Amino acid sequence: MKILSYGSLNLDFVYTVPHFVQEGETLSSLEREVFPGGKGLNQSIALAKAGLPVSHAGAIGSDEGELLVRMLEAVSVDTSRISILSGPSGHAIIQRDLNGRNGILIFGGANKALTREKILADLQDFGRGDFLVLQNEINELPYLVDQAYAAQMRIVLNPSPLDASIFDMDLSKISVFLVNELEAQALLMHYDQSLDLDGHWSETKIHSALESLQKLFPKALLVMTLGKAGSAAISPDAYARCESFSVPVVDTTAAGDCFSGYFLAAQAGGASLAESLRRASAAAAIAVSRPGAAPSIPESKEVDSFLAKQV
Ligand code: RIB
């Protein structure tokens, strides 16, 4: 089984702010840091640190994108399918408040300049049973999904950032969905606008949202993260629920990407749904206790020792 993570590579410009900038306001930031990021890169780093061999496909621009490739190479990700295109790399402007919450503005750059020719070439060495791991920060996703499905790959989709373009692809071809509660809500309401999912996520609501998603995508494994309320998953034959771990929050950026990589790696290693959620939650808990996107993602042995300390 091989893993192709096809996704965005961003330089993250992180501004620490006393509060998120408001309409019409000019706000001085307290600090600026630059980190490697992008949901695609973060997922690749998490998969690799969780112990899986990963190939990353995507594109950087002719500017400072080399840093992103070096970050992937440092954790032994195969970067031979990352093209260098003329024009800028993708980047993100991230406001991080003093409680670790963030607001993210992304510019696609090279991430949005992928061609069908490149996609066909990148998929060439992958086939039946191999995984294609996606997010929604690159162009040509519908084409990529169709080609990978035709090659009998298993397609994993984190639809973040979720917008109307997600419905341009044939979602029935997805094997694993990794969504947060807002994305779950948006997916469900797209198909049934009469649904009322506002308000508190009780245990019943979590379970029934996943069951409703399962009715829409009966063959898929569906995983939902709920921030401090933990995570839950449903497959055609099991339901699992995991509480979150309580840690001091420094920066929530990339926590979802870290969760995705560690969850998939645990599943690939044969762990149960419940065990996979627990390991992914532990990895995400460590990530939120550190600054930055990709650099906050822990090594597998850090996750082992974190879990060993839990009662
Ligand atoms: O999920 C976090 C990521 O979202 C950041 O690294 C940023 O680049 C945006 O893609």
Side-chain angles (χ1 to χ4, degrees):
M1 177 204 69
K2 292 184 280 190
I3 298 175
L4 178 64
S5 171
Y6 215 125
S8 57
L9 302 121
N10 289 340
L11 280 171
D12 287 355
F13 296 92
V14 181
Y15 298 85
T16 305
V17 289
H19 60 261
F20 292 160
V21 69
Q22 305 293 303
E23 181 183 349
E25 181 184 17
T26 301
L27 181 67
S28 283
S29 59
L30 307 171
E31 188 179 9
R32 191 198 83 155
E33 294 157 287
V34 184
F35 296 107
K39 295 184 197 306
L41 176 144
N42 298 338
Q43 288 187 159
S44 292
I45 300 269
L47 286 160
K49 285 192 170 176
L52 292 181
V54 185
S55 299
H56 187 102
I60 55 170
S62 49
D63 49 10
E64 319 118 298
E66 270 298 310
L67 161 75
L68 305 172
V69 178
R70 282 204 303 276
M71 176 89 195
L72 288 166
E73 285 171 349
V75 290
S76 305
V77 172
D78 169 20
T79 60
S80 58
R81 293 173 187 81
I82 298 178
S83 307
I84 302 177
L85 307 180
S86 62
S89 297
H91 73 255
I93 294 182
I94 303 183
Q95 296 182 58
R96 180 180 62 205
D97 76 7
L98 300 173
N99 295 312
R101 292 174 299 209
N102 64 42
I104 303 181
L105 175 69
I106 53 174
F107 170 72
N111 298 316
K112 294 278 188 177
L114 304 172
T115 62
R116 294 186 174 195
E117 292 70 31
K118 170 173 168 54
I119 287 169
L120 281 184
D122 290 339
L123 289 178
Q124 229 166 38
D125 295 334
F126 298 88
R128 189 187 174 89
D130 292 337
F131 280 94
L132 175 68
V133 182
L134 302 172
Q135 26 50 60
N136 190 26
E137 289 186 341
I138 56 172
N139 66 319
E140 290 288 7
L141 271 180
Y143 183 75
L144 187 44
V145 165
D146 289 344
Q147 295 302 319
Y149 188 79
Q152 300 185 11
M153 293 180 78
R154 289 175 283 184
I155 306 170
V156 179
L157 176 67
N158 166 2
S160 186
L162 196 142
D163 56 28
S165 72
I166 215 76
F167 301 105
D168 295 342
M169 69 184 113
D170 183 349
L171 294 176
S172 71
K173 294 178 176 171
I174 306 300
S175 299
V176 183
F177 286 89
L178 295 147
V179 296
N180 64 27
E181 72 275 40
L182 296 176
E183 291 154 359
Q185 191 166 346
L187 282 177
L188 287 169
M189 289 178 70
H190 175 80
Y191 297 101
D192 180 356
Q193 281 154 14
S194 69
L195 275 178
D196 180 10
L197 290 164
D198 287 338
H200 173 65
W201 282 80
S202 64
E203 288 305 315
T204 313
K205 181 173 160 184
I206 294 167
H207 198 160
S208 73
L210 280 173
E211 282 180 332
S212 304
L213 282 171
Q214 193 178 38
K215 284 192 190 117
L216 292 169
F217 309 108
K219 287 182 284 182
L221 165 58
L222 294 136
V223 184
M224 178 163 60
T225 55
L226 296 130
K228 283 188 183 145
S231 54
I234 197 163
S235 70
D237 43 30
Y239 176 76
R241 178 80 172 95
C242 180
E243 298 301 318
S244 66
F245 295 97
S246 179
V247 290
V249 176
V250 172
D251 186 346
T252 55
T253 312
D257 310 329
C258 174
F259 181 99
S260 300
Y262 267 88
F263 177 84
L264 292 170
Q267 284 282 289
S272 68
L273 267 192
E275 287 164 350
S276 304
L277 290 180
R278 184 170 159 77
R279 190 159 182 83
S281 301
I286 299 172
V288 302
S289 68
R290 298 170 172 172
S296 72
I297 296 170
E299 300 287 343
S300 194
K301 56 180 186 284
E302 294 177 273
V303 180
D304 293 339
S305 56
F306 179 92
L307 282 169
K309 284 186 207 132
Q310 308 302 314
V311 279

